[in-house]
Amino acid sequence: MRQEPTSPEPLAAAAAPPDPDAPRPLAVPQARPIRTDFDLLVIGGGVNGAGIARDAQGRGLSTCLVERGDLAGATSSNSSKLVHGGLRYLEQYEFRLVREALAEREVLLRIAPHIVWPMRFVLPHRPEMRPRWMIRAGLFLYDHLARRVSLPGSESLRTATHRYGQPLSDAITDAFAYSDCWVEDSRLVVLNVRDAAARGAEILVRTSFVGAERGAECWTCRLVAEDGTARIVTARALVNAAGPWVIQAQDAARARARDRVRLVRGSHIVVPALYEGDQAYILQNDDRRVVFVIPYEGRFSLIGTTDVPHEGDARDAHCTAEEAAYLCAAVGRQFRRAPTPDEIVWSYSGVRPLHDDGADNPSAVTRDYVLKTDAAAGQAPVLSIYGGKITTYRRLAEDAVGAIGAAIGHAGTPWTATAALPGGEFGGRDLPGFEAEMAARHPWLPPATLRRMVRAYGSDLDALLDGASGPNAMGEAYGAGFTERELDWLLRHEWARTAADVLWRRSKLGLHMPAEGQERLARRLGG
């Protein structure tokens, strides 16, 4: 079985083959010296843990990130894939959260322009739901709570004369449009981890945190790899970013219980595209929740999400028949045609670990994050994270590293707001301009493949192609534009190991690749 690298191979270490047009063998991960002492051990390889590891290592704190499964293997790859302020949170008076999230849109557009891009959202008006004045007031706040640089403001429109009205029911005559952003959620996680590793962090995936002994100067932690190999490491501080498993990690460290989380399942369905165009829709549902309809992967529509209390292990989350019917019905109330459950080509569910603030309605539970540091005198500190949302992961990481760093006397200086993530160095060009440059540089790549790869790898695309000048250099083709050359990159630099890692987290090629190609890929990766 292929062994998982503890860190991606540095780009400079991937020597070019003598003949750039010759197929290359799959990567063999290179061994690295095993380190056992760290300033910080981060538990959890979701977006919060990844952001914290990157920020901490960049501030000079030696950091180890441990994740029992794949990076972004749970909630962080099962989101609605939006970087947004949260328009509906204004009704709950969460102005600080909305302001912070709106500001983060601009930061993420700047540091990760290949995986974060603007999207226009259409809000049909239903008079029996929220009145027009309330929506106008909310959108005015949304436009002005934080400084907008690259996103246009909101507008009113008549559905009969505007192209955005074409998919909507004739009963809907008016709508509003405003801006938010799309994000490739699981790639956001991987890129943060890549940057952390490039700065010196140790990354241990498919490795469980099973317990820790707390001392005056450090924690002594026991880690167990997927193959059963145990490893003891020490850390001056722990960060518990285990998401839905934050309480279990807290118990494994025998740390004092501080707060509770409320597990809420958000399910999504994917159906063949319901309309043409790159706009998304935000629908006010009869239960006063909202449901998004988002253009997805070129030929599909993504519909979500639900808010259902989740019982049991978050790994068992799935979209139930009731949730699928709920989402289809929500669209059918406002679209000309309702999707039906038998049209669903894929579904997924993420369990959000919301900070339990005592709200009765799951939709009303705050999406804000809460950080709790246990730093009793004479004991090594631990910081636990409750709640949070993908949009504000970077700010959460800043706050978390500042807090735990202060507890061990090394708070450092925040730096991530201006440092591009891997692949995000566009040299002042926008995404279309960069894509046009890549098309001119690699004219042999099919347009659909080029577009996908630019939006996955950005300015790292040249390094991935490594001098290739034609299809013959890309190695075995699995379908949907995916080749051995790209697989080689994912194994060398992105900790991919299984077909699911490749097809459903590093990409969404599982929606496009023929079954025969997926089977060959699975066999190549050992099952």
Side-chain angles (χ1 to χ4, degrees):
M1 180 176 289
R2 188 174 304 279
Q3 295 299 307
E4 186 67 23
T6 58
S7 183
E9 182 180 335
L11 296 186
D19 178 2
D21 288 333
R24 301 188 306 179
L26 287 178
V28 177
Q30 302 299 307
R32 292 181 55 184
I34 296 175
R35 181 173 182 172
T36 58
D37 61 310
F38 300 93
D39 291 322
L40 216 59
L41 178 69
V42 180
I43 305 164
V47 71
N48 291 335
I52 289 167
R54 178 189 186 227
D55 192 319
Q57 190 69 41
R59 296 196 204 192
L61 291 166
S62 60
T63 302
C64 177
L65 173 72
V66 60
E67 163 57 46
R68 69 177 174 183
D70 184 29
L71 298 172
T75 307
S76 294
S77 60
N78 291 312
S79 75
S80 295
K81 310 181 193 307
L82 300 178
V83 169
H84 65 133
L87 183 61
R88 68 184 179 89
Y89 303 151
L90 293 174
E91 289 187 314
Q92 299 158 13
Y93 307 107
E94 300 231 36
F95 298 118
R96 187 205 60 78
L97 174 62
V98 174
R99 181 184 298 110
E100 183 177 286
L102 289 172
E104 282 301 290
R105 295 182 313 184
E106 296 288 349
V107 173
L108 295 179
L109 280 167
R110 185 170 61 248
I111 68 174
H114 51 319
I115 62 166
V116 180
W117 56 85
M119 183 172 283
R120 201 68 171 158
F121 286 77
V122 181
L123 173 59
H125 178 241
R126 297 179 64 192
E128 69 273 22
M129 298 299 295
R130 296 163 177 86
R132 289 176 62 88
W133 69 264
M134 182 181 292
I135 297 175
R136 282 198 182 109
L139 289 173
F140 179 85
L141 281 173
Y142 210 68
D143 283 342
H144 294 92
L145 272 174
R147 181 169 175 260
R148 283 183 295 109
V149 177
S150 53
L151 297 173
S154 60
E155 62 178 324
S156 302
L157 58 94
R158 298 285 292 179
T159 59
T161 56
H162 198 288
R163 67 181 180 89
Y164 290 166
Q166 292 176 0
L168 298 174
S169 164
D170 289 338
I172 295 173
T173 59
D174 297 279
F176 302 87
Y178 68 94
S179 294
D180 265 322
C181 297
W182 169 266
V183 62
E184 295 287 355
D185 52 3
S186 50
R187 293 210 58 77
L188 180 67
V189 176
V190 170
L191 296 183
N192 272 272
V193 175
R194 277 192 58 208
D195 198 38
R199 296 172 188 275
E202 185 90 3
I203 310 300
L204 301 175
V205 298
R206 293 180 174 82
T207 300
S208 297
F209 171 81
V210 297
E213 294 290 336
R214 192 177 198 176
E217 299 295 329
C218 68
W219 291 85
T220 301
C221 308
R222 185 167 184 263
L223 312 177
V224 178
E226 189 177 52
D227 64 2
T229 303
R231 177 174 173 181
I232 302 297
V233 302
T234 62
R236 295 173 63 196
L238 296 183
V239 173
N240 179 0
W245 299 279
V246 62
I247 303 302
Q248 290 92 319
Q250 186 174 273
D251 292 343
R254 289 183 282 185
R256 290 185 297 172
R258 301 298 300 266
D259 283 54
R260 298 182 301 168
V261 292
R262 192 163 174 178
L263 300 183
V264 176
R265 186 173 68 250
S267 293
H268 301 74
I269 58 175
V270 176
V271 300
L274 298 174
Y275 56 89
E276 295 182 356
D278 56 6
Q279 74 277 9
Y281 292 82
I282 175 172
L283 310 178
Q284 303 175 85
N285 201 27
D286 291 353
D287 56 7
R288 299 190 70 82
R289 290 202 66 257
V290 297
V291 170
F292 292 103
V293 185
I294 304 167
Y296 191 58
E297 289 291 311
R299 55 194 183 95
F300 301 101
S301 292
L302 173 65
I303 304 170
T305 179
T306 59
D307 265 317
V308 181
H310 184 78
E311 302 292 338
D313 196 321
R315 286 176 291 187
D316 299 328
H318 65 279
C319 180
T320 66
E322 292 78 13
E323 288 175 289
Y326 169 90
L327 294 172
C328 289
V331 176
R333 291 186 186 97
Q334 299 184 55
F335 271 43
R336 295 183 184 276
R337 186 184 71 81
T340 58
D342 61 359
E343 293 180 90
I344 297 172
V345 298
W346 182 47
S347 66
Y348 64 86
S349 294
V351 175
R352 299 185 287 271
L354 306 181
H355 181 249
D356 192 350
D357 58 5
D360 293 332
N361 181 355
S363 296
V365 180
T366 181
R367 267 52 176 177
D368 208 349
Y369 58 85
V370 174
L371 310 178
K372 292 296 178 77
T373 304
D374 179 359
Q379 291 186 315
V382 56
L383 181 144
S384 294
I385 298 165
Y386 306 88
K389 52 182 290 189
I390 198 167
T391 303
T392 52
Y393 89 92
R394 193 200 61 81
R395 284 293 302 271
L396 182 155
E398 273 191 351
D399 290 347
V401 176
I404 199 66
I408 60 175
H410 188 134
T413 302
W415 61 278
T416 58
T418 57
L421 286 167
E425 296 283 2
F426 279 14
R429 291 154 295 186
D430 59 10
L431 182 59
F434 180 80
E435 184 176 343
E437 179 179 318
M438 290 296 101
R441 190 175 299 174
H442 308 289
W444 52 272
L445 275 175
T449 299
L450 176 79
R451 178 182 174 86
R452 176 184 65 80
M453 295 182 78
V454 165
R455 281 160 175 73
Y457 307 107
S459 53
D460 281 339
L461 181 57
D462 283 337
L464 185 157
L465 295 174
D466 197 16
S469 59
N472 291 338
M474 301 301 284
E476 182 176 356
Y478 293 92
F482 186 79
T483 65
E484 188 173 359
R485 178 69 66 101
E486 188 173 354
L487 176 60
D488 180 68
W489 174 275
L490 297 179
L491 295 172
R492 286 179 184 269
H493 305 299
E494 296 194 8
W495 297 271
R497 183 173 184 176
T498 70
D501 298 346
V502 172
L503 297 174
W504 297 108
R505 285 182 287 277
R506 304 309 183 279
S507 74
K508 292 298 179 286
L509 285 167
L511 288 169
H512 307 287
M513 187 182 291
E516 183 273 335
Q518 296 191 35
E519 291 165 3
R520 277 192 289 121
L521 178 62
R523 288 195 300 271
R524 192 64 175 268
L525 295 176

